[in-house]
Amino acid sequence: MFNARYFRTFITLVETGSFTRTARRLEMTQPGVSQHVRKLEQYLGKSLLDRQGRRFVLTEAGRRAYDYALKLFAEHEQFRHSLDNDSLDSGECRLASPGSIGLMLYPFILGQQQMQPGLTVSYSFAFNGEIVADVLSGRHDLGIVTESVRHPELDCEAWHQEPLCLVVPADFAGNGLGDLMALGVIGYPGGNDHAGALLRANFPDFRSMSYFPRQGFTNEVGMVLDAVARGLGFAVVSRVVLETSPWQRQVKALSLAHASHEFLYLVTRSGAHMPRRYVRLLEGYREQRRHERLGYGEVIEG
């Protein structure tokens, strides 16, 4: 007989790689975990694990069963959440974004949750590739990414944009490309692309970010300005990162003639109807940014 609990136990076992950790996570006994796996194997008529002492590897049937189980539960979650599509004030919001926008969007959503206790929020900070994979697997209903996505199972639409800022130490006295080269750049995922776009728009002699000494790197964009504040280099970041940074008094944004932006896109499963609570949250955040920036962060047309 089909039993969803057996599939859930099997998913957890594959993800943890351990019967002990699976039992702990699911608040079961270890023999109980083993029994669920055996029952699932009996139901499918195939061995799912190649047991090697306390370790195991998935058989071919096990890999296929794991992929099927992920799809099964993703579709179940989509169905469950679809029942709340018409509710503005209740239901779960499952979304993910890069840190650059999440530094401000997540607190905004939490504020909305305080005013609407029927809402629950599951928010993940991740990189573009992880976000796309999690939307595909059904872990998130909505992903916000900084690059347009083309995938047959996904819909992607332009949503919002934030100005990029060239941020230097507060005592930086230079203003030319040579001064910036002497200072060096602090990197982060996507940082070179942002820096290249903004510098190319404002310095005719700019050629490539490869000419700039890399003075450091962090995978957490929220920490980039710590290095800049210490005089270790410059960085080009979204204005949201600057506005939410605890080091904003120890750095400054250079005034530039031409603007460049970080573009943000919404990613959902193809054909999925976005619940009204998501629409209201996204529109509310964008409206707040319009008021705060007096025109920055406007809607992208097309």
Side-chain angles (χ1 to χ4, degrees):
M1 180 180 294
F2 176 84
N3 190 317
R5 287 190 63 200
Y6 299 161
F7 281 98
R8 174 60 72 190
T9 301
F10 182 63
I11 289 175
T12 307
L13 177 63
V14 174
E15 291 178 347
T16 64
S18 164
F19 281 84
T20 302
R21 287 193 290 271
T22 298
R24 188 179 304 122
R25 179 178 295 185
L26 298 180
E27 299 182 343
M28 298 172 60
T29 64
Q30 189 170 328
V33 173
S34 298
Q35 183 185 50
H36 279 196
V37 174
R38 285 196 303 271
K39 292 283 189 181
L40 185 58
E41 289 178 323
Q42 292 170 7
Y43 170 71
L44 297 174
K46 298 288 183 182
S47 176
L48 303 179
L49 305 177
D50 181 4
R51 295 168 175 81
Q52 303 168 357
R54 292 188 176 183
R55 301 186 175 209
F56 65 84
V57 295
L58 293 178
T59 64
E60 176 60 26
R63 286 190 290 271
R64 294 177 63 183
Y66 176 68
D67 291 340
Y68 170 75
L70 288 179
K71 182 178 180 181
L72 179 72
F73 280 98
E75 291 177 349
H76 170 76
E77 285 300 300
Q78 287 182 336
F79 167 73
R80 189 169 65 86
H81 292 301
S82 72
L83 299 178
D84 294 327
N85 277 358
D86 291 332
S87 174
L88 281 172
D89 305 327
S90 63
E92 185 178 12
C93 295
R94 305 182 306 154
L95 66 160
S97 81
S100 55
I101 185 68
L103 290 168
M104 191 171 284
L105 178 58
Y106 181 50
F108 171 82
I109 292 177
L110 291 182
Q112 298 301 304
Q113 185 180 3
Q114 286 180 295
M115 292 187 288
Q116 306 293 343
L119 291 176
T120 59
V121 177
S122 297
Y123 198 110
S124 294
F125 291 78
F127 300 123
N128 287 343
E130 298 172 83
I131 294 169
V132 169
D134 283 346
V135 172
L136 279 170
S137 71
R139 295 177 191 274
H140 302 308
D141 298 320
L142 172 69
I144 301 173
V145 294
T146 57
E147 297 176 355
S148 182
V149 175
R150 290 188 177 182
H151 191 283
E153 296 180 34
L154 294 175
D155 290 333
C156 180
E157 64 174 292
W159 170 58
H160 183 60
Q161 61 187 35
E162 286 285 347
L164 293 172
C165 300
L166 175 54
V167 185
V168 296
D171 60 357
F172 180 73
N175 55 20
L177 201 61
D179 299 317
L180 292 172
M181 283 187 178
L183 183 60
V185 64
I186 305 297
Y188 64 93
N192 267 13
D193 292 338
H194 288 341
L198 188 60
L199 295 177
R200 189 174 297 108
N202 288 278
F203 298 96
D205 50 342
F206 173 81
R207 292 294 177 266
S208 168
M209 288 305 298
S210 63
Y211 292 101
F212 289 77
R214 188 159 114 165
Q215 298 296 94
F217 179 89
T218 174
N219 67 347
E220 178 49 68
V221 66
M223 299 299 294
V224 169
L225 297 191
D226 186 5
V228 176
R230 295 170 188 263
L232 299 176
F234 75 90
V236 174
V237 297
S238 164
R239 185 176 292 274
V240 166
V241 176
L242 177 59
E243 290 181 6
T244 57
S245 174
W247 299 283
Q248 58 183 294
R249 294 181 179 275
Q250 287 78 51
V251 300
K252 63 181 179 183
L254 293 185
S255 179
L256 299 173
H258 303 288
S260 188
H261 295 81
E262 177 180 70
F263 297 94
L264 298 161
Y265 303 85
L266 304 180
V267 178
T268 57
R269 292 287 295 266
S270 293
H273 176 69
M274 190 181 299
R276 294 171 64 206
R277 59 185 178 277
Y278 284 96
V279 175
R280 185 170 73 171
L281 289 173
L282 294 170
E283 291 181 351
Y285 174 80
R286 200 164 52 178
E287 183 65 24
Q288 174 178 286
R289 291 301 288 157
R290 276 198 290 265
H291 285 301
E292 290 173 346
R293 299 310 316 159
L294 300 177
Y296 286 117
E298 64 273 17
V299 177
I300 307 170
E301 299 294 340

